[in-house]
Amino acid sequence: GIAFDGTHIWVANEKNDGLSKIDMIRNVKLTDFAMRSSPWGIAFEGTHIWVTNNGSDSAIKIRKII
C-alpha cells in the first residue's frame, strides 16, 4: 500500500514487515518503521497514518511523524 500525507509518501512493505517514510521532493527514504503481521493497506486521514495488517486482520493508527 501507499499513501501521501501532503508532505511525505508512506509505503507499507508486506514482505519485510515494515513501513517506509519517503521525502517526495528529494526522492529519498527518510526512515523505516518495524511493523508486524505483514502491513498491507495504508491511508492518511489528515492526522494519522492507518495501516492494515494482512497477517493479523488488524489495523494500526500511527500519529503522523513530521
Side-chain angles (χ1 to χ4, degrees):
I2 187 168
F4 177 61
D5 70 6
T7 307
H8 303 99
I9 300 289
W10 295 80
V11 180
N13 304 305
E14 179 185 22
K15 298 295 181 192
N16 69 359
D17 289 335
L19 179 67
S20 298
K21 180 180 174 184
I22 300 168
D23 183 313
M24 190 176 98
I25 303 297
R26 296 182 302 160
N27 194 31
V28 295
K29 183 168 46 172
L30 299 175
T31 191
D32 285 319
F33 300 92
M35 303 291 286
R36 289 185 237 162
S37 300
S38 304
W40 180 263
I42 186 167
F44 177 66
E45 42 78 339
T47 305
H48 300 91
I49 301 293
W50 291 84
V51 181
T52 59
N53 298 298
N54 192 28
S56 65
D57 294 329
S58 64
I60 297 172
K61 178 174 73 172
I62 301 170
R63 186 171 43 125
K64 180 183 169 190
I65 302 164
I66 299 173

